[in-house]
């Protein structure tokens, strides 16, 4: 490329040409003439450039005619463009030197091809930039959707946890009251106002079917996608076991679940065991952590989709 510097004096240009000729001789000893070899094609192009400087246009054009079809077949855009550009310069100079109109017209055609390639390359570049911008936008949108979905799920889980905690507190208070009643050893006259007071407190913390229905509804809504994933991943699970997974994910103990729903603690322990077995979890695996992990995975997959 140094030879294209118009500021070079004639003597300096001769030095450049001499250096190129030296390199050309050295490379010709090292490289195998094979058009399938990219380095050899580069060598042909460089040799054509040197011949063009030396005004040996016919030889230069012949070398380009050898490598250009190969570059076109390889769909090597940059090399094709360079060949057309150099060919245009060669035929233009050749036509002016000989006064041959056909050479000048050939140079014009080559220039047109060069312009078309540059235009197409520019369009492709703009298209790639546009696709990159769209990809970035889609990525940002995906990340935003993920955050919004995460916030929505976290809000739902928090609401479930608060509802479950409220019921747990009711259970605990009822247990305390039961213990208190059993500890009463006073006379009938002394017990009556105390029992009335206890009855009022029990009425205030009574767990209704509506309380349990509200909790179950929130669990069902907040874990709809998780339930679908569980049914697909573990088809052996019954519908009751799948819905119970949402309840277990709240972290309530077997005792708390037993007080809420009436089933014995042993029953919930066996239910957890059956679910873990169908999920092929070991004794040491934590079922609640596994369900929370699946819930997080479900969020990511839903965001990607």
């Amino acid at each position: 490329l140094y030879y294209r510097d118009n500021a070079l004096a004639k003597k300096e240009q001769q030095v450049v040409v001499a250096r190129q000729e030296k390199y050309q001789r050295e490379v010709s000893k090292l490289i195998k003439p094979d058009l399938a070899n990219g380095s050899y094609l580069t060598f042909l192009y460089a040799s054509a450039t040197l011949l063009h400087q030396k005004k040996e246009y016919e030889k230069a054009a012949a070398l380009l005619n050898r490598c250009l079809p190969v570059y076109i077949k390889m769909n090597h855009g940059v090399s094709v463009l360079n060949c057309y550009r150099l060919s245009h310069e060669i035929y233009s100079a050749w036509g002016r030197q000989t006064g041959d109109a056909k050479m000048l017209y050939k140079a014009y055609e080559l220039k047109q091809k060069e312009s078309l390639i540059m235009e197409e390359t520019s369009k492709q570049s703009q298209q790639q930039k546009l696709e990159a911008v769209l990809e970035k936008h889609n990525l940002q949108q995906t990340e935003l959707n993920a955050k919004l979905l995460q916030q929505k799920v976290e809000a739902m889980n928090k609401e479930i946890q608060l509802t479950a905690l409220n019921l747990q507190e009711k259970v605990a208070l009822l247990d305390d009251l039961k213990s208190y009643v059993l500890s009463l050893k006073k006379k009938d006259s002394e017990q009556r106002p105390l029992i009335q007071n206890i009855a009022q407190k029990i009425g205030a913390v009574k767990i209704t079917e509506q309380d349990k229905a509200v909790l179950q509804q929130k669990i069902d809504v907040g874990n709809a996608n998780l339930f679908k994933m569980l049914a697909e991943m573990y088809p052996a699970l019954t519908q009751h076991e799948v819905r119970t997974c949402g309840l277990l994910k709240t972290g309530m103990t077997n005792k708390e679940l037993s007080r809420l729903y009436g089933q014995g603690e042993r029953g919930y322990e066996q239910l957890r065991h059956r679910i873990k077995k169908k999920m092929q979890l070991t004794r040491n695996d934590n079922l609640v952590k596994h369900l929370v992990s699946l819930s997080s995975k479900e969020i990511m997959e839903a965001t990607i989709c």
Side-chain angles (χ1 to χ4, degrees), residues 179-209:
S179 300
Y180 180 57
V181 170
L182 293 175
S183 68
L184 289 176
K185 296 180 180 179
K186 298 183 178 181
K187 296 179 180 181
D188 292 341
S189 59
E190 296 175 337
Q191 289 178 352
R192 192 169 299 150
L194 290 174
I195 293 174
Q196 184 178 359
N197 185 34
I198 291 169
Q200 291 175 351
K201 290 184 177 181
I202 291 176
V205 296
K206 184 179 179 181
I207 299 175
T208 65
E209 291 299 322

PDB file of all heavy atoms in Angstrom, residues 179-209:
ATOM      1  N   SER A 179     -53.662 -25.353  76.081  1.00  0.00           N
ATOM      2  CA  SER A 179     -52.818 -25.687  77.227  1.00  0.00           C
ATOM      3  C   SER A 179     -53.270 -24.944  78.475  1.00  0.00           C
ATOM      4  O   SER A 179     -53.265 -25.485  79.590  1.00  0.00           O
ATOM      5  CB  SER A 179     -51.356 -25.344  76.922  1.00  0.00           C
ATOM      6  OG  SER A 179     -50.899 -26.075  75.804  1.00  0.00           O
ATOM      7  N   TYR A 180     -53.675 -23.710  78.263  1.00  0.00           N
ATOM      8  CA  TYR A 180     -54.117 -22.888  79.387  1.00  0.00           C
ATOM      9  C   TYR A 180     -55.395 -23.452  80.002  1.00  0.00           C
ATOM     10  O   TYR A 180     -55.543 -23.531  81.224  1.00  0.00           O
ATOM     11  CB  TYR A 180     -54.327 -21.449  78.913  1.00  0.00           C
ATOM     12  CG  TYR A 180     -54.783 -20.494  79.974  1.00  0.00           C
ATOM     13  CD1 TYR A 180     -54.038 -20.301  81.139  1.00  0.00           C
ATOM     14  CD2 TYR A 180     -55.961 -19.785  79.824  1.00  0.00           C
ATOM     15  CE1 TYR A 180     -54.445 -19.420  82.116  1.00  0.00           C
ATOM     16  CE2 TYR A 180     -56.392 -18.896  80.801  1.00  0.00           C
ATOM     17  CZ  TYR A 180     -55.623 -18.722  81.945  1.00  0.00           C
ATOM     18  OH  TYR A 180     -56.050 -17.845  82.921  1.00  0.00           O
ATOM     19  N   VAL A 181     -56.345 -23.860  79.163  1.00  0.00           N
ATOM     20  CA  VAL A 181     -57.603 -24.425  79.646  1.00  0.00           C
ATOM     21  C   VAL A 181     -57.348 -25.690  80.445  1.00  0.00           C
ATOM     22  O   VAL A 181     -57.937 -25.924  81.517  1.00  0.00           O
ATOM     23  CB  VAL A 181     -58.555 -24.708  78.470  1.00  0.00           C
ATOM     24  CG1 VAL A 181     -59.756 -25.527  78.934  1.00  0.00           C
ATOM     25  CG2 VAL A 181     -59.028 -23.399  77.860  1.00  0.00           C
ATOM     26  N   LEU A 182     -56.466 -26.537  79.924  1.00  0.00           N
ATOM     27  CA  LEU A 182     -56.171 -27.795  80.605  1.00  0.00           C
ATOM     28  C   LEU A 182     -55.486 -27.575  81.953  1.00  0.00           C
ATOM     29  O   LEU A 182     -55.513 -28.445  82.831  1.00  0.00           O
ATOM     30  CB  LEU A 182     -55.279 -28.670  79.705  1.00  0.00           C
ATOM     31  CG  LEU A 182     -55.939 -29.196  78.425  1.00  0.00           C
ATOM     32  CD1 LEU A 182     -54.919 -29.945  77.572  1.00  0.00           C
ATOM     33  CD2 LEU A 182     -57.117 -30.103  78.755  1.00  0.00           C
ATOM     34  N   SER A 183     -54.870 -26.430  82.109  1.00  0.00           N
ATOM     35  CA  SER A 183     -54.152 -26.162  83.354  1.00  0.00           C
ATOM     36  C   SER A 183     -55.025 -25.541  84.433  1.00  0.00           C
ATOM     37  O   SER A 183     -54.575 -25.336  85.561  1.00  0.00           O
ATOM     38  CB  SER A 183     -52.965 -25.244  83.072  1.00  0.00           C
ATOM     39  OG  SER A 183     -53.426 -23.956  82.705  1.00  0.00           O
ATOM     40  N   LEU A 184     -56.261 -25.248  84.062  1.00  0.00           N
ATOM     41  CA  LEU A 184     -57.153 -24.610  85.045  1.00  0.00           C
ATOM     42  C   LEU A 184     -57.588 -25.619  86.111  1.00  0.00           C
ATOM     43  O   LEU A 184     -58.081 -26.698  85.795  1.00  0.00           O
ATOM     44  CB  LEU A 184     -58.394 -24.042  84.347  1.00  0.00           C
ATOM     45  CG  LEU A 184     -58.170 -22.807  83.460  1.00  0.00           C
ATOM     46  CD1 LEU A 184     -59.454 -22.421  82.767  1.00  0.00           C
ATOM     47  CD2 LEU A 184     -57.664 -21.650  84.305  1.00  0.00           C
ATOM     48  N   LYS A 185     -57.378 -25.275  87.330  1.00  0.00           N
ATOM     49  CA  LYS A 185     -57.771 -26.153  88.437  1.00  0.00           C
ATOM     50  C   LYS A 185     -58.507 -25.359  89.538  1.00  0.00           C
ATOM     51  O   LYS A 185     -58.373 -25.642  90.724  1.00  0.00           O
ATOM     52  CB  LYS A 185     -56.546 -26.836  89.017  1.00  0.00           C
ATOM     53  CG  LYS A 185     -55.835 -27.771  88.048  1.00  0.00           C
ATOM     54  CD  LYS A 185     -54.628 -28.424  88.693  1.00  0.00           C
ATOM     55  CE  LYS A 185     -53.923 -29.355  87.723  1.00  0.00           C
ATOM     56  NZ  LYS A 185     -52.721 -29.996  88.311  1.00  0.00           N
ATOM     57  N   LYS A 186     -59.262 -24.377  89.098  1.00  0.00           N
ATOM     58  CA  LYS A 186     -59.963 -23.535  90.055  1.00  0.00           C
ATOM     59  C   LYS A 186     -61.405 -24.016  90.245  1.00  0.00           C
ATOM     60  O   LYS A 186     -61.893 -24.855  89.488  1.00  0.00           O
ATOM     61  CB  LYS A 186     -59.948 -22.083  89.576  1.00  0.00           C
ATOM     62  CG  LYS A 186     -58.546 -21.512  89.468  1.00  0.00           C
ATOM     63  CD  LYS A 186     -58.583 -20.064  89.058  1.00  0.00           C
ATOM     64  CE  LYS A 186     -57.172 -19.487  88.988  1.00  0.00           C
ATOM     65  NZ  LYS A 186     -57.176 -18.065  88.614  1.00  0.00           N
ATOM     66  N   LYS A 187     -62.057 -23.431  91.195  1.00  0.00           N
ATOM     67  CA  LYS A 187     -63.435 -23.785  91.481  1.00  0.00           C
ATOM     68  C   LYS A 187     -64.348 -23.309  90.368  1.00  0.00           C
ATOM     69  O   LYS A 187     -64.015 -22.411  89.614  1.00  0.00           O
ATOM     70  CB  LYS A 187     -63.879 -23.163  92.807  1.00  0.00           C
ATOM     71  CG  LYS A 187     -63.102 -23.684  94.005  1.00  0.00           C
ATOM     72  CD  LYS A 187     -63.563 -23.016  95.276  1.00  0.00           C
ATOM     73  CE  LYS A 187     -62.785 -23.524  96.487  1.00  0.00           C
ATOM     74  NZ  LYS A 187     -63.232 -22.891  97.757  1.00  0.00           N
ATOM     75  N   ASP A 188     -65.575 -23.941  90.306  1.00  0.00           N
ATOM     76  CA  ASP A 188     -66.536 -23.604  89.243  1.00  0.00           C
ATOM     77  C   ASP A 188     -66.846 -22.117  89.210  1.00  0.00           C
ATOM     78  O   ASP A 188     -66.934 -21.504  88.140  1.00  0.00           O
ATOM     79  CB  ASP A 188     -67.832 -24.392  89.426  1.00  0.00           C
ATOM     80  CG  ASP A 188     -67.625 -25.873  89.193  1.00  0.00           C
ATOM     81  OD1 ASP A 188     -66.597 -26.223  88.556  1.00  0.00           O
ATOM     82  OD2 ASP A 188     -68.488 -26.652  89.601  1.00  0.00           O
ATOM     83  N   SER A 189     -67.008 -21.532  90.347  1.00  0.00           N
ATOM     84  CA  SER A 189     -67.358 -20.107  90.394  1.00  0.00           C
ATOM     85  C   SER A 189     -66.234 -19.235  89.851  1.00  0.00           C
ATOM     86  O   SER A 189     -66.476 -18.167  89.291  1.00  0.00           O
ATOM     87  CB  SER A 189     -67.676 -19.689  91.833  1.00  0.00           C
ATOM     88  OG  SER A 189     -66.548 -19.942  92.676  1.00  0.00           O
ATOM     89  N   GLU A 190     -65.028 -19.729  90.044  1.00  0.00           N
ATOM     90  CA  GLU A 190     -63.875 -18.955  89.567  1.00  0.00           C
ATOM     91  C   GLU A 190     -63.598 -19.240  88.092  1.00  0.00           C
ATOM     92  O   GLU A 190     -63.039 -18.414  87.383  1.00  0.00           O
ATOM     93  CB  GLU A 190     -62.649 -19.295  90.415  1.00  0.00           C
ATOM     94  CG  GLU A 190     -62.796 -18.884  91.869  1.00  0.00           C
ATOM     95  CD  GLU A 190     -61.610 -19.350  92.698  1.00  0.00           C
ATOM     96  OE1 GLU A 190     -60.948 -20.315  92.258  1.00  0.00           O
ATOM     97  OE2 GLU A 190     -61.342 -18.752  93.754  1.00  0.00           O
ATOM     98  N   GLN A 191     -64.006 -20.423  87.635  1.00  0.00           N
ATOM     99  CA  GLN A 191     -63.716 -20.816  86.255  1.00  0.00           C
ATOM    100  C   GLN A 191     -64.622 -20.127  85.248  1.00  0.00           C
ATOM    101  O   GLN A 191     -64.216 -19.892  84.110  1.00  0.00           O
ATOM    102  CB  GLN A 191     -63.863 -22.333  86.114  1.00  0.00           C
ATOM    103  CG  GLN A 191     -62.779 -23.134  86.791  1.00  0.00           C
ATOM    104  CD  GLN A 191     -63.002 -24.632  86.647  1.00  0.00           C
ATOM    105  OE1 GLN A 191     -64.054 -25.049  86.163  1.00  0.00           O
ATOM    106  NE2 GLN A 191     -62.018 -25.404  87.075  1.00  0.00           N
ATOM    107  N   ARG A 192     -65.877 -19.832  85.681  1.00  0.00           N
ATOM    108  CA  ARG A 192     -66.857 -19.346  84.718  1.00  0.00           C
ATOM    109  C   ARG A 192     -66.412 -18.096  83.963  1.00  0.00           C
ATOM    110  O   ARG A 192     -66.434 -18.076  82.739  1.00  0.00           O
ATOM    111  CB  ARG A 192     -68.178 -19.094  85.453  1.00  0.00           C
ATOM    112  CG  ARG A 192     -69.354 -18.866  84.503  1.00  0.00           C
ATOM    113  CD  ARG A 192     -70.641 -18.893  85.274  1.00  0.00           C
ATOM    114  NE  ARG A 192     -70.814 -20.198  85.920  1.00  0.00           N
ATOM    115  CZ  ARG A 192     -71.461 -20.390  87.058  1.00  0.00           C
ATOM    116  NH1 ARG A 192     -71.978 -19.376  87.708  1.00  0.00           N
ATOM    117  NH2 ARG A 192     -71.579 -21.603  87.572  1.00  0.00           N
ATOM    118  N   PRO A 193     -65.973 -17.034  84.607  1.00  0.00           N
ATOM    119  CA  PRO A 193     -65.533 -15.847  83.845  1.00  0.00           C
ATOM    120  C   PRO A 193     -64.275 -16.108  83.029  1.00  0.00           C
ATOM    121  O   PRO A 193     -64.097 -15.550  81.948  1.00  0.00           O
ATOM    122  CB  PRO A 193     -65.275 -14.803  84.936  1.00  0.00           C
ATOM    123  CG  PRO A 193     -65.057 -15.582  86.184  1.00  0.00           C
ATOM    124  CD  PRO A 193     -65.930 -16.797  86.067  1.00  0.00           C
ATOM    125  N   LEU A 194     -63.418 -16.998  83.563  1.00  0.00           N
ATOM    126  CA  LEU A 194     -62.195 -17.314  82.804  1.00  0.00           C
ATOM    127  C   LEU A 194     -62.534 -18.068  81.536  1.00  0.00           C
ATOM    128  O   LEU A 194     -61.997 -17.784  80.453  1.00  0.00           O
ATOM    129  CB  LEU A 194     -61.249 -18.144  83.682  1.00  0.00           C
ATOM    130  CG  LEU A 194     -60.604 -17.418  84.853  1.00  0.00           C
ATOM    131  CD1 LEU A 194     -59.823 -18.396  85.718  1.00  0.00           C
ATOM    132  CD2 LEU A 194     -59.685 -16.322  84.343  1.00  0.00           C
ATOM    133  N   ILE A 195     -63.436 -19.044  81.667  1.00  0.00           N
ATOM    134  CA  ILE A 195     -63.829 -19.841  80.489  1.00  0.00           C
ATOM    135  C   ILE A 195     -64.513 -18.951  79.451  1.00  0.00           C
ATOM    136  O   ILE A 195     -64.307 -19.095  78.243  1.00  0.00           O
ATOM    137  CB  ILE A 195     -64.743 -21.000  80.915  1.00  0.00           C
ATOM    138  CG1 ILE A 195     -63.943 -22.008  81.760  1.00  0.00           C
ATOM    139  CG2 ILE A 195     -65.348 -21.681  79.706  1.00  0.00           C
ATOM    140  CD1 ILE A 195     -64.779 -23.112  82.361  1.00  0.00           C
ATOM    141  N   GLN A 196     -65.345 -18.024  79.920  1.00  0.00           N
ATOM    142  CA  GLN A 196     -66.019 -17.106  79.008  1.00  0.00           C
ATOM    143  C   GLN A 196     -65.004 -16.243  78.261  1.00  0.00           C
ATOM    144  O   GLN A 196     -65.117 -16.014  77.050  1.00  0.00           O
ATOM    145  CB  GLN A 196     -66.988 -16.219  79.799  1.00  0.00           C
ATOM    146  CG  GLN A 196     -67.817 -15.296  78.895  1.00  0.00           C
ATOM    147  CD  GLN A 196     -68.792 -14.479  79.699  1.00  0.00           C
ATOM    148  OE1 GLN A 196     -68.875 -14.594  80.938  1.00  0.00           O
ATOM    149  NE2 GLN A 196     -69.554 -13.645  79.011  1.00  0.00           N
ATOM    150  N   ASN A 197     -64.004 -15.792  78.991  1.00  0.00           N
ATOM    151  CA  ASN A 197     -62.945 -14.975  78.381  1.00  0.00           C
ATOM    152  C   ASN A 197     -62.154 -15.782  77.344  1.00  0.00           C
ATOM    153  O   ASN A 197     -61.834 -15.307  76.255  1.00  0.00           O
ATOM    154  CB  ASN A 197     -62.007 -14.458  79.470  1.00  0.00           C
ATOM    155  CG  ASN A 197     -60.944 -13.506  78.914  1.00  0.00           C
ATOM    156  OD1 ASN A 197     -61.213 -12.765  77.984  1.00  0.00           O
ATOM    157  ND2 ASN A 197     -59.763 -13.550  79.481  1.00  0.00           N
ATOM    158  N   ILE A 198     -61.870 -17.056  77.677  1.00  0.00           N
ATOM    159  CA  ILE A 198     -61.136 -17.925  76.750  1.00  0.00           C
ATOM    160  C   ILE A 198     -61.961 -18.198  75.496  1.00  0.00           C
ATOM    161  O   ILE A 198     -61.449 -18.192  74.376  1.00  0.00           O
ATOM    162  CB  ILE A 198     -60.773 -19.243  77.452  1.00  0.00           C
ATOM    163  CG1 ILE A 198     -59.721 -18.980  78.546  1.00  0.00           C
ATOM    164  CG2 ILE A 198     -60.234 -20.259  76.456  1.00  0.00           C
ATOM    165  CD1 ILE A 198     -59.485 -20.169  79.460  1.00  0.00           C
ATOM    166  N   ALA A 199     -63.276 -18.416  75.712  1.00  0.00           N
ATOM    167  CA  ALA A 199     -64.152 -18.679  74.571  1.00  0.00           C
ATOM    168  C   ALA A 199     -64.147 -17.497  73.606  1.00  0.00           C
ATOM    169  O   ALA A 199     -64.165 -17.659  72.371  1.00  0.00           O
ATOM    170  CB  ALA A 199     -65.564 -18.967  75.061  1.00  0.00           C
ATOM    171  N   GLN A 200     -64.129 -16.293  74.161  1.00  0.00           N
ATOM    172  CA  GLN A 200     -64.091 -15.096  73.318  1.00  0.00           C
ATOM    173  C   GLN A 200     -62.783 -15.031  72.514  1.00  0.00           C
ATOM    174  O   GLN A 200     -62.767 -14.682  71.342  1.00  0.00           O
ATOM    175  CB  GLN A 200     -64.248 -13.849  74.183  1.00  0.00           C
ATOM    176  CG  GLN A 200     -65.626 -13.701  74.787  1.00  0.00           C
ATOM    177  CD  GLN A 200     -65.715 -12.527  75.732  1.00  0.00           C
ATOM    178  OE1 GLN A 200     -64.713 -11.902  76.088  1.00  0.00           O
ATOM    179  NE2 GLN A 200     -66.942 -12.199  76.158  1.00  0.00           N
ATOM    180  N   LYS A 201     -61.686 -15.374  73.177  1.00  0.00           N
ATOM    181  CA  LYS A 201     -60.393 -15.349  72.490  1.00  0.00           C
ATOM    182  C   LYS A 201     -60.324 -16.402  71.397  1.00  0.00           C
ATOM    183  O   LYS A 201     -59.809 -16.156  70.298  1.00  0.00           O
ATOM    184  CB  LYS A 201     -59.260 -15.568  73.499  1.00  0.00           C
ATOM    185  CG  LYS A 201     -59.049 -14.399  74.442  1.00  0.00           C
ATOM    186  CD  LYS A 201     -57.860 -14.642  75.354  1.00  0.00           C
ATOM    187  CE  LYS A 201     -57.623 -13.435  76.244  1.00  0.00           C
ATOM    188  NZ  LYS A 201     -56.448 -13.636  77.147  1.00  0.00           N
ATOM    189  N   ILE A 202     -60.858 -17.589  71.695  1.00  0.00           N
ATOM    190  CA  ILE A 202     -60.860 -18.642  70.679  1.00  0.00           C
ATOM    191  C   ILE A 202     -61.718 -18.227  69.487  1.00  0.00           C
ATOM    192  O   ILE A 202     -61.352 -18.445  68.330  1.00  0.00           O
ATOM    193  CB  ILE A 202     -61.386 -19.961  71.287  1.00  0.00           C
ATOM    194  CG1 ILE A 202     -60.383 -20.500  72.295  1.00  0.00           C
ATOM    195  CG2 ILE A 202     -61.636 -20.993  70.198  1.00  0.00           C
ATOM    196  CD1 ILE A 202     -60.847 -21.745  73.025  1.00  0.00           C
ATOM    197  N   GLY A 203     -62.842 -17.592  69.761  1.00  0.00           N
ATOM    198  CA  GLY A 203     -63.691 -17.118  68.671  1.00  0.00           C
ATOM    199  C   GLY A 203     -62.994 -16.087  67.815  1.00  0.00           C
ATOM    200  O   GLY A 203     -63.203 -16.004  66.609  1.00  0.00           O
ATOM    201  N   ALA A 204     -62.135 -15.301  68.458  1.00  0.00           N
ATOM    202  CA  ALA A 204     -61.435 -14.240  67.719  1.00  0.00           C
ATOM    203  C   ALA A 204     -60.371 -14.790  66.783  1.00  0.00           C
ATOM    204  O   ALA A 204     -60.038 -14.185  65.766  1.00  0.00           O
ATOM    205  CB  ALA A 204     -60.807 -13.257  68.708  1.00  0.00           C
ATOM    206  N   VAL A 205     -59.841 -15.959  67.110  1.00  0.00           N
ATOM    207  CA  VAL A 205     -58.759 -16.512  66.292  1.00  0.00           C
ATOM    208  C   VAL A 205     -59.202 -17.777  65.559  1.00  0.00           C
ATOM    209  O   VAL A 205     -58.392 -18.565  65.106  1.00  0.00           O
ATOM    210  CB  VAL A 205     -57.526 -16.841  67.160  1.00  0.00           C
ATOM    211  CG1 VAL A 205     -56.968 -15.584  67.755  1.00  0.00           C
ATOM    212  CG2 VAL A 205     -57.876 -17.856  68.236  1.00  0.00           C
ATOM    213  N   LYS A 206     -60.484 -17.999  65.461  1.00  0.00           N
ATOM    214  CA  LYS A 206     -61.006 -19.200  64.806  1.00  0.00           C
ATOM    215  C   LYS A 206     -60.564 -19.260  63.350  1.00  0.00           C
ATOM    216  O   LYS A 206     -60.681 -18.280  62.618  1.00  0.00           O
ATOM    217  CB  LYS A 206     -62.526 -19.198  64.890  1.00  0.00           C
ATOM    218  CG  LYS A 206     -63.157 -20.453  64.308  1.00  0.00           C
ATOM    219  CD  LYS A 206     -64.666 -20.396  64.453  1.00  0.00           C
ATOM    220  CE  LYS A 206     -65.326 -21.635  63.854  1.00  0.00           C
ATOM    221  NZ  LYS A 206     -66.797 -21.589  63.956  1.00  0.00           N
ATOM    222  N   ILE A 207     -60.028 -20.409  62.969  1.00  0.00           N
ATOM    223  CA  ILE A 207     -59.596 -20.617  61.573  1.00  0.00           C
ATOM    224  C   ILE A 207     -60.789 -21.135  60.791  1.00  0.00           C
ATOM    225  O   ILE A 207     -61.288 -22.232  61.046  1.00  0.00           O
ATOM    226  CB  ILE A 207     -58.435 -21.612  61.500  1.00  0.00           C
ATOM    227  CG1 ILE A 207     -57.239 -21.067  62.275  1.00  0.00           C
ATOM    228  CG2 ILE A 207     -58.050 -21.880  60.058  1.00  0.00           C
ATOM    229  CD1 ILE A 207     -56.095 -22.039  62.356  1.00  0.00           C
ATOM    230  N   THR A 208     -61.240 -20.362  59.850  1.00  0.00           N
ATOM    231  CA  THR A 208     -62.418 -20.734  59.072  1.00  0.00           C
ATOM    232  C   THR A 208     -62.008 -21.444  57.787  1.00  0.00           C
ATOM    233  O   THR A 208     -60.855 -21.390  57.357  1.00  0.00           O
ATOM    234  CB  THR A 208     -63.241 -19.485  58.719  1.00  0.00           C
ATOM    235  OG1 THR A 208     -62.458 -18.651  57.842  1.00  0.00           O
ATOM    236  CG2 THR A 208     -63.585 -18.688  59.977  1.00  0.00           C
ATOM    237  N   GLU A 209     -62.988 -22.083  57.172  1.00  0.00           N
ATOM    238  CA  GLU A 209     -62.756 -22.705  55.865  1.00  0.00           C
ATOM    239  C   GLU A 209     -62.405 -21.643  54.829  1.00  0.00           C
ATOM    240  O   GLU A 209     -61.679 -21.902  53.876  1.00  0.00           O
ATOM    241  CB  GLU A 209     -64.005 -23.482  55.433  1.00  0.00           C
ATOM    242  CG  GLU A 209     -64.286 -24.724  56.248  1.00  0.00           C
ATOM    243  CD  GLU A 209     -63.149 -25.742  56.150  1.00  0.00           C
ATOM    244  OE1 GLU A 209     -62.565 -25.891  55.055  1.00  0.00           O
ATOM    245  OE2 GLU A 209     -62.823 -26.364  57.179  1.00  0.00           O
TER     246      GLU A 209
END
